[in-house]
Amino acid sequence: MSTQILMPALSPTMEEGKLAKWLVKEGDAVKSGDILAEIETDKATMEFEAVDEGRIGKILVAEGTEGVKVNAPIAVLVGDGEDARATAAPKAAPASVPTTPAAAKAAQVPVAQTVPIKLEDPSLPEGTEFVTMTVREALRDAMAEEMRRDDTVFLMGEEVAQYQGAYKVSQGLLEEFGARRVIDTPITEQGFAGLGVGAAFNGLKPIVEFMTWNFAMQAIDQIINSAAKTRYMSGGQMHSPIVFRGPNGPAARVGAQHSQDYSAWYAHVPGLKVISPYFAADAKALLKAAIRDPNPVVFLENEIVYGRSFPVPKIDDYVLPIGKARVVRPGRDVTLVAHSICVGLILEAAEALAQEGIDAELIDLRTLRPLDTETVIESVKKTNRIVTVEQGWPICSIGSEIASQMVEKAFDWLDAPPTKVTGKDVPMPYAANLEKLALPTVDDIISAAKAVCYRA
Amino acid sequence: MSEAKKAVVTGVNNAVATPNSVSLKTFYSDMLLIRRFEERAGQLYGMGLIGGFCHLYIGQEAVVVGMQANIAPQDQIITAYRDHGHMLACGMDPKGVMAELTGRSTGYSKGKGGSMHMFSSEKHFFGGHGIVGAQIPLGTGLAFADKYRNTGGVTLTYLGDGAANQGQVYESFNMAQLWKLPVVYIIENNQYAMGTSVDRSSAQTQFYKRGVSFNIPGEEVDGMDVEAVYAAGRKAVEYCRSGNGPMILEMKTYRYRGHSMSDPAKYRTREEVQTVREKRDPIEHLGQKLVSRGIATEDELKAMDKDIRLVVNTAAEFAIESPEPDLAELFTDVIA
Ligand SMILES: Cc1ncc(C[n+]2csc(CCOP(=O)(O)OP(=O)(O)O)c2C)c(N)n1
Ligand SMILES: [Mg+2]
């Protein structure tokens, strides 16, 4: 009785990996828990353990092989002759377990994607060179540059130092800046967020990383009651120049408590600035602006976007003003507005719409508070139609606010009701099919855009 | 063999047992069920059949098995996201647990909760919580309700060493002692919170002392020894049930796998993990005792393993073959 050992998926986003090293050889006896091999994923090198007992009959994929697809057979496990009875039990061995199409699809989370668009920035000198980098790297570089420039800037959060960040955003910072300025905290969000605000009152410029914004709910009182309101309550005497940052919104299959978009929550609060970029250049330039800003800034990143690569201008000290939206693509027929990961969706939707003769203008809000309504109004004056897109819930959403502003300030230019495409009004389900249904899709955007254009 | 199988199917012996009548064999098979279940869950994750976060309990089995053997049917259980072992030890069906992991309609939460969010009102298992620290006030509240309603129930509230630093833990401790609530706080000190070892996160690493300023008694327990856990748990549950207020048990334990499936675990050496596996493994350890004390033979233990593998395989097949939830389920259960 022999069974195949399959290449495992070792992270929610892994589709293939490198078989870095075999730790067993043909003929070795193994039991469950023994480490069979080291496998390199996009993010890390992982150990792969045996589940069943037996002997390694044959190694099918040599060590050092790159691009081994998940679920490809990598070795054959045979039962020990004298112990055939014990090894006959695990009949449903990996090879014989069918992967249902639904589950297979669920594993395919979008990975790095390069969008071929030109990011115009009138403030850049003619002939500026661009380098391609991931959003993850851009954020790290922004922090590193600001920390080099200003000793009062420091980074604090769970796993930011020795582990190099739970999502590897702070990679290399401990090495460069040392433990005085890159600080691992206990799991005490309210404590270290409040500590950060106090440190900001007293002359420092903290960057507080939340492992994800879901966990900042433990600390939201300090963000709102202490950070956002103190300038006002003290009659302008005291303030907190602090940046709260981390990944926001749903990742993949992590369920209701770990998949929430806080854009509208923080955008609601006077005394805060709220930034939520999509492109690497904006992530870098706006994080630098946030660190220098004298106000508390909520900086909402996105885990899935971390790995995407975009061009970033190769100039010293690239900083952009907070509060300006970006027209990503000019168009005449309909305005599509988004921020963060949904900018990727409107880019895709615009391409499909173009095929059908609808010329969409795309706006990346970049900052959610203060909201750049001016840029949106200018666009609506041209297109007379607007669709907003976000992953957050529909009630009191960013889209609700934009719709209200358009009705108030651009009513005469509207040829159709402002329309929202949002996440569904439910907690995030875990099941792959329901999760897909809960999130806004390119198709939803295309239908909404056609509807406001009165096209079937 | 049939005895072993029965133990597997019903989870632990939930009756209040005297130490004499406790079946060490049941402890063994209950721990082995958790181990085999988790190994299979890890494998299904590797095949893309389980998504998102999946936190395995391998290495810590003695804690929940030893504790759960002390409780009565009216008692409550609550824990965090490393919860598969707790559910099995509560007697929840491995099929329903595995089907929740694969996100299918036959799972305990109809596929809507996932690995971190499963519940069973029947088994008094209150989750399954993804926010570190949140379950501690909740567990305190379960105990409050039992005292209020005078049910005689005790709540087992499980938390990690990392969770022990959340402020709400101490808010809970204070209220629990102030109002003499029947809750046992079980701190599963597996020495790491993700990549952070306890001495890098904690000013007081002796977690059983964390209730000192509230006058809550605490005890340190070898969480790799199911008999020690059982004995300590028995005292604690009796103490709480008799109206003395809360108690803290610190279980010294260890997780063999990474924090979740995608953790490369570079913050500790392979030797460190190997040493615990070889010298302190709760299942190996009890297996040897069973044989040396003449309670079971090697062959009996092997037969138990075989039965358990069958149970786990059946659960996996069920979890793979069950349908995904109906699309209409997206909008159900949001509000009554
Ligand atoms: C409030 C909150 N902060 C951070 C996290 C991310 N997180 C999940 S588990 C974990 C480590 C917890 O460690 P511990 O309490 O020791 O439990 P263990 O994982 O060892 O069982 C962290 C930081 C979270 N889920 N919730
Ligand atoms: Mg721990």
Side-chain angles (χ1 to χ4, degrees):
Chain A
M1 155 109 202
S2 70
T3 52
Q4 290 181 323
I5 299 174
L6 306 181
M7 181 74 168
L10 295 168
S11 81
T13 49
M14 176 173 167
E15 283 168 10
E16 58 175 47
K18 176 178 174 184
L19 208 163
K21 192 171 172 202
W22 277 109
L23 297 165
V24 290
K25 50 185 191 326
E26 290 180 3
D28 282 0
V30 295
K31 59 177 187 345
S32 59
D34 286 353
I35 299 160
L36 298 178
E38 279 180 4
I39 286 166
E40 270 174 45
T41 71
D42 48 341
K43 275 182 232 147
T45 302
M46 309 270 299
E47 289 171 348
F48 172 43
E49 294 179 3
V51 174
D52 295 318
E53 209 166 65
R55 209 160 33 76
I56 301 294
K58 192 157 181 53
I59 283 176
L60 303 172
V61 175
E63 66 179 29
T65 310
E66 310 232 14
V68 184
K69 292 265 179 288
V70 164
N71 281 334
I74 55 174
V76 177
L77 190 71
V78 293
D80 265 334
E82 86 258 18
D83 203 2
R85 218 174 52 95
T87 49
K91 189 161 91 293
S96 61
V97 181
T99 304
T100 67
K105 243 205 255 129
Q108 286 163 20
V109 173
V111 247
Q113 162 200 320
T114 311
V115 180
I117 63 150
K118 185 99 182 84
L119 293 174
E120 318 257 317
D121 181 348
S123 73
L124 288 175
E126 192 96 16
T128 300
E129 243 187 274
F130 283 78
V131 287
T132 299
M133 65 170 76
T134 61
V135 171
R136 177 183 278 118
E137 292 163 334
L139 291 166
R140 191 262 325 272
D141 288 358
M143 289 192 280
E145 286 177 23
E146 293 308 296
M147 288 176 77
R148 276 172 216 140
R149 175 175 179 270
D150 181 352
D151 182 65
T152 64
V153 179
F154 69 98
L155 173 66
M156 168 177 271
E158 293 159 19
E159 308 289 354
V160 298
Q162 286 196 16
Y163 200 81
Q164 312 290 320
Y167 298 101
K168 299 287 174 273
V169 174
S170 52
Q171 193 124 40
L173 295 183
L174 174 65
E175 199 187 348
E176 178 173 354
F177 299 101
R180 174 175 164 261
R181 300 180 67 196
V182 182
I183 303 161
D184 278 327
T185 62
I187 309 169
T188 50
E189 286 85 4
Q190 174 154 37
F192 66 75
L195 184 154
V197 177
F201 286 163
N202 196 17
L204 300 186
K205 291 187 178 152
I207 306 169
V208 168
E209 174 176 311
F210 292 113
M211 192 176 284
T212 77
W213 276 94
N214 303 288
F215 314 142
M217 279 213 279
Q218 299 286 317
I220 197 166
D221 180 72
Q222 293 291 4
I223 300 171
I224 295 176
N225 269 327
S226 306
K229 297 179 183 171
T230 297
R231 184 186 293 275
Y232 193 81
M233 295 187 301
S234 67
Q237 295 176 72
M238 216 167 271
H239 66 285
S240 50
I242 184 169
V243 176
F244 299 103
R245 51 156 290 272
N248 173 55
R253 306 288 309 280
V254 290
Q257 293 185 332
H258 281 70
S259 310
Q260 199 169 317
D261 178 358
Y262 291 91
S263 304
W265 291 53
Y266 291 104
H268 189 63
V269 183
L272 290 181
K273 290 187 179 179
V274 182
I275 300 172
S276 189
Y278 177 66
F279 297 107
D282 295 337
K284 180 172 182 191
L286 287 170
L287 182 53
K288 282 165 67 80
I291 294 167
R292 289 181 201 185
D293 198 275
N295 299 290
V297 179
V298 163
F299 200 90
L300 305 171
E301 301 157 10
N302 185 285
E303 186 192 329
I304 293 167
V305 171
Y306 280 150
R308 295 190 183 172
S309 295
F310 300 105
V312 175
K314 200 176 162 189
I315 52 168
D316 290 342
D317 211 20
Y318 183 47
V319 184
L320 284 172
I322 297 171
K324 298 298 289 174
R326 178 196 279 286
V327 179
V328 179
R329 176 191 194 275
R332 286 169 327 218
D333 300 331
V334 57
T335 301
L336 305 182
V337 182
H339 65 278
S340 190
I341 191 167
C342 290
V343 174
L345 299 183
I346 59 172
L347 276 162
E348 266 185 69
E351 262 171 51
L353 289 166
Q355 306 288 313
E356 304 192 36
I358 296 176
D359 186 21
E361 174 147 310
L362 307 185
I363 296 179
D364 173 359
L365 291 170
R366 297 195 287 194
T367 300
L368 303 175
R369 187 185 185 97
L371 195 61
D372 184 2
T373 8
E374 222 114 293
T375 298
V376 184
I377 291 172
E378 281 318 302
S379 177
V380 166
K381 283 184 178 171
K382 205 165 53 162
T383 64
N384 314 112
R385 294 160 165 94
I386 181 167
V387 173
T388 59
V389 184
E390 68 198 296
Q391 290 186 318
W393 290 313
I395 311 299
C396 301
S397 64
I398 299 292
S400 307
E401 176 59 22
I402 292 175
S404 138
Q405 299 252 8
M406 293 308 113
V407 169
E408 243 173 71
K409 298 174 184 159
F411 191 74
D412 292 341
W413 284 277
L414 286 171
D415 284 347
T419 298
K420 296 185 292 186
V421 174
T422 66
K424 299 291 190 300
D425 199 15
V426 299
M428 185 62 71
Y430 166 73
N433 63 336
L434 298 187
E435 185 185 61
K436 206 166 147 234
L437 206 61
L439 289 168
T441 63
V442 173
D443 286 343
D444 296 340
I445 301 167
I446 294 170
S447 324
K450 283 187 184 167
V452 296
C453 292
Y454 304 109
R455 297 260 301 260
Chain B
M1 181 193 136
S2 59
E3 185 194 328
K5 194 157 182 189
K6 186 157 155 264
V8 169
V9 173
T10 57
V12 297
N13 176 6
N14 269 347
V16 191
T18 64
N20 302 340
S21 73
V22 169
S23 162
L24 288 177
K25 275 204 249 181
T26 307
F27 286 172
Y28 184 84
S29 68
D30 287 343
M31 290 196 291
L32 199 56
L33 171 65
I34 297 174
R35 172 88 36 113
R36 296 289 177 245
F37 182 95
E38 293 291 65
E39 287 168 351
R40 179 48 60 99
Q43 193 181 47
L44 296 190
Y45 191 96
M47 296 164 73
L49 287 160
I50 297 173
F53 291 134
C54 184
H55 308 87
L56 303 182
Y57 196 61
I58 298 178
Q60 301 180 212
E61 297 91 344
V63 175
V64 80
V65 168
M67 284 307 300
Q68 292 301 122
N70 285 299
I71 63 166
Q74 75 268 29
D75 295 340
Q76 332 297 337
I77 302 99
I78 191 166
T79 188
Y81 45 83
R82 196 179 300 287
D83 54 0
H84 314 160
H86 299 71
M87 297 185 285
L88 296 175
C90 284
M92 287 167 66
D93 184 349
K95 291 205 299 238
V97 178
M98 198 68 99
E100 189 60 38
L101 296 184
T102 54
R104 304 307 165 94
S105 58
T106 50
Y108 267 98
S109 300
K110 305 181 194 166
K112 296 202 246 185
S115 162
M116 299 188 285
H117 310 301
M118 265 182 257
F119 308 82
S120 166
S121 40
E122 186 202 342
K123 301 290 180 191
H124 297 210
F125 179 72
F126 287 84
H129 296 271
I131 301 301
V132 169
Q135 80 277 19
I136 297 124
L138 297 175
T140 309
L142 296 173
F144 181 90
D146 274 331
K147 174 154 190 192
Y148 186 96
R149 296 190 294 135
N150 206 14
T151 61
V154 168
T155 299
L156 301 188
T157 299
Y158 292 88
L159 61 142
D161 49 280
N165 291 321
Q166 283 286 34
Q168 37 188 326
V169 173
Y170 302 92
E171 299 177 19
S172 301
F173 284 1
N174 184 46
M175 290 187 285
Q177 178 69 325
L178 187 64
W179 298 324
K180 299 284 184 231
L181 304 180
V183 49
V184 188
Y185 297 105
I186 301 137
I187 303 178
E188 298 196 57
N189 179 3
N190 60 11
Q191 301 174 45
Y192 293 92
M194 276 190 173
T196 306
S197 60
V198 290
D199 41 280
R200 293 208 303 115
S201 69
S202 298
Q204 169 57 277
T205 57
Q206 293 178 306
F207 291 93
Y208 68 94
K209 293 184 180 165
R210 291 289 182 104
V212 165
S213 60
F214 306 97
N215 301 317
I216 302 177
E219 196 180 319
E220 186 182 36
V221 184
D222 179 357
M224 304 302 270
D225 177 352
V226 70
E227 288 182 277
V229 173
Y230 176 78
R234 189 172 169 73
K235 271 197 302 187
V237 168
E238 263 169 24
Y239 176 89
C240 292
R241 210 184 296 285
S242 318
N244 295 305
M247 182 156 176
I248 296 169
L249 295 179
E250 176 188 354
M251 300 288 171
K252 298 295 269 261
T253 183
Y254 200 77
R255 77 166 147 72
Y256 294 178
R257 296 290 191 95
H259 168 75
S260 64
M261 288 302 298
S262 48
D263 170 20
K266 291 292 175 241
Y267 42 82
R268 60 185 188 187
T269 62
R270 189 178 288 163
E271 289 70 46
E272 179 182 313
V273 184
Q274 267 322 104
T275 308
V276 180
R277 278 194 139 134
E278 276 157 27
K279 302 225 164 87
R280 294 179 62 208
D281 186 77
I283 299 174
E284 285 282 308
H285 197 203
L286 181 62
Q288 282 160 12
K289 274 200 218 166
L290 291 178
V291 173
S292 69
R293 291 186 200 167
I295 299 172
T297 64
E298 291 276 4
D299 280 350
E300 272 180 89
L301 299 186
K302 275 210 172 130
M304 262 192 224
D305 192 15
K306 195 181 153 192
D307 289 346
I308 286 167
R309 282 179 187 272
L310 254 173
V311 170
V312 169
N313 285 344
T314 309
E317 271 163 30
F318 177 80
I320 292 163
E321 278 155 22
S322 291
E324 289 189 303
D326 193 280
L327 295 182
E329 286 290 352
L330 182 62
F331 296 102
T332 63
D333 305 318
V334 176
I335 195 164

